[in-house]
Amino acid sequence: MTPRFDALGLAVTDMAASLAFYRLLGLDIPADADTQPHAEATLPGGLRLMWDAAETPPPSGPGRMALAFLCDGPAEVDATYAKLTEAGVRGSKEPWDAFWGQRYATVLDPDGNQVDLFAPLPG
């Protein structure tokens, strides 16, 4: 299977303020997310918008956002990362098992934007 575009991530310096802004736009984000380092909202159509706390995010431009591609499983994360890096794409973080229950890897697009590859880990 081919990885599917699944989420857009934003680096934010003030999680509560950012989430309050997006709530005003009608997004359903739990109140307890204000104090977490990561928050997500599923948009109509299934695309997810994610926020990650960063003490000092990069200035506007590359690095302020991340695209996330859902893979069919952990093996596809590994295979896609290998395929991309073997083709000359710059790897940022090799595949690893994240504490939140996903196999995760990160590459950089030609402009330096983060592109995450992920899949749920088996239960």
Side-chain angles (χ1 to χ4, degrees):
M1 190 94 185
T2 302
R4 297 169 308 282
F5 182 57
D6 184 74
L8 177 65
L10 303 172
V12 300
T13 53
D14 185 334
M15 183 69 78
S18 185
L19 297 182
F21 171 81
Y22 286 99
R23 285 185 188 106
L24 289 172
L25 290 172
L27 297 185
D28 183 23
I29 306 164
D32 66 347
D34 289 2
T35 60
Q36 301 299 314
H38 176 83
E40 296 184 10
T42 301
L43 308 175
L47 185 66
R48 293 179 302 134
L49 183 55
M50 304 182 303
W51 299 266
D52 287 292
E55 287 184 26
T56 54
S60 57
R64 284 294 297 220
M65 69 167 197
L67 305 177
F69 284 77
L70 173 63
C71 297
D72 280 339
E76 188 177 22
V77 171
D78 294 0
T80 303
Y81 181 87
K83 174 180 142 185
L84 292 170
T85 56
E86 288 167 8
V89 171
R90 189 168 36 146
S92 176
K93 184 150 179 85
E94 292 184 4
W96 61 290
D97 291 342
F99 68 88
W100 57 84
Q102 294 176 333
R103 182 74 171 164
Y104 227 86
T106 303
V107 296
L108 302 176
D109 76 5
D111 294 305
N113 293 304
Q114 182 173 319
V115 177
D116 298 326
L117 308 168
F118 73 97
L121 289 169

